Amino acid sequence: MTMEKERAIQCVPAELMERLRALAARLWEDKNPASVHLNAVMEEFEPDVKTLGHIISEYETDYSGRLAFKDREYAQKEGRLKEEIEDINKRFSALESSHSACLRKIAEVKGVLAAKESELAELKAKTAEEESALNSKYVAKMQELYDRVSKKELEMLGRWEEKNKSIDSKIQGLENDYTARLSQLKLREKAMEEDFNARKAELIRTFDKVKAGMDVREKNLAAREEANGKGGRV
């Protein structure tokens, strides 16, 4: 199915249409074949032929509808904007009230802060004075303690030196005693060694004598046995 080509619509005067109808009627009466073609053309374009008043009426109707729609749309937008403006005004009033309260609160806080800063300054000054006094007392106490400790250290050092001298004296006495005893021990050791050597020499001499006597006895005994043996054989 083919779509009909859209036609351009143009406003046609009503008198022109009346004259064309009258012409078509005369041609029909005269039995002119052109009347058939003219009637066919007029019937074909009859639906598209509009008067200026008709077109204006359609435009007015369409414009009125559009205008009414735009009026309603504008009224809705205006209503929303008014509501938004009213809400903004309420919020702004609330913010102004809150801002005023905040300003008052800030002023109160600043007053309290100024009072606290003044108290802090006084406390710092008092603390500095007390710290200075404590430092002075601390220095005096430390000096006193240092003097006491130094005195005790000197006393302890003196006692330690005395004890050290006594210990040195005792050590010297012990060393002298040790040296004397060591000398005596060496003398006794030497005497014992000499006595041992003498006894050893005496024992050796005694052993030699005993051995010599035993050798003589063995020789005599052997001679006797030999002599006895010879006499028995005779």
Side-chain angles (χ1 to χ4, degrees):
M1 181 178 179
T2 58
M3 296 180 62
E4 294 183 357
K5 186 178 180 181
E6 185 178 357
R7 297 168 180 172
I9 304 300
Q10 187 174 4
C11 180
V12 178
E15 186 179 357
L16 175 61
M17 295 301 297
E18 292 298 330
R19 288 182 180 182
L20 288 174
R21 289 190 187 96
L23 177 60
R26 285 197 301 272
L27 291 174
W28 179 260
E29 290 175 356
D30 294 340
K31 297 181 180 180
N32 190 335
S35 64
V36 178
H37 180 68
L38 180 59
N39 285 324
V41 170
M42 291 183 67
E43 288 177 0
E44 181 182 356
F45 289 96
E46 181 69 23
D48 297 329
V49 175
K50 297 180 180 180
T51 63
L52 180 61
H54 188 199
I55 292 173
I56 292 173
S57 178
E58 288 181 352
Y59 279 138
E60 286 180 350
T61 302
D62 181 64
Y63 179 76
S64 297
R66 292 183 181 183
L67 181 62
F69 177 76
K70 291 295 182 181
D71 287 341
R72 289 193 299 272
E73 187 178 9
Y74 175 77
Q76 291 176 358
K77 289 183 178 180
E78 184 180 10
R80 288 196 301 271
L81 289 174
K82 286 181 178 180
E83 291 177 357
E84 291 178 0
I85 291 171
E86 185 177 358
D87 182 62
I88 290 172
N89 288 330
K90 290 180 180 179
R91 292 170 63 185
F92 183 73
S93 298
L95 287 174
E96 283 186 340
S97 177
S98 177
H99 181 65
S100 300
C102 288
L103 290 177
R104 290 193 299 272
K105 189 67 176 179
I106 290 171
E108 292 176 0
V109 171
K110 284 183 177 180
V112 173
L113 182 61
K116 293 296 182 182
E117 287 179 350
S118 178
E119 292 179 3
L120 181 61
E122 293 178 358
L123 181 60
K124 285 183 177 180
K126 186 176 180 180
T127 302
E129 293 177 358
E130 292 178 353
E131 184 178 359
S132 178
L134 287 174
N135 287 333
S136 300
K137 291 181 180 179
Y138 175 77
V139 171
K141 290 291 184 181
M142 288 300 295
Q143 185 63 39
E144 182 181 356
L145 180 61
Y146 177 76
D147 294 339
R148 289 180 181 178
V149 172
S150 298
K151 184 177 180 181
K152 288 183 179 180
E153 286 181 351
L154 291 174
E155 292 176 356
M156 291 176 65
L157 182 61
R159 288 195 297 269
W160 182 81
E161 288 179 351
E162 291 178 359
K163 288 182 179 180
N164 193 24
K165 289 179 181 179
S166 176
I167 291 171
D168 290 340
S169 178
K170 289 181 180 180
I171 291 173
Q172 186 64 38
L174 290 173
E175 288 180 352
N176 294 333
D177 184 57
Y178 173 77
T179 302
R181 289 186 179 184
L182 182 62
S183 178
Q184 291 177 1
L185 287 173
K186 286 182 178 180
L187 292 174
R188 289 179 63 184
E189 182 181 1
K190 185 177 180 180
M192 290 176 68
E193 186 177 358
E194 291 176 353
D195 183 64
F196 174 77
N197 291 331
R199 290 183 180 185
K200 182 179 179 181
E202 182 66 24
L203 287 173
I204 291 172
R205 287 193 297 271
T206 302
F207 177 76
D208 290 340
K209 288 180 180 181
V210 172
K211 185 178 180 182
M214 290 180 68
D215 290 339
V216 172
R217 287 180 182 180
E218 287 180 357
K219 288 180 180 181
N220 292 331
L221 182 61
R224 288 177 184 177
E225 289 178 353
E226 185 179 357
N228 290 330
K230 288 180 179 183
R233 286 194 298 270
V234 175

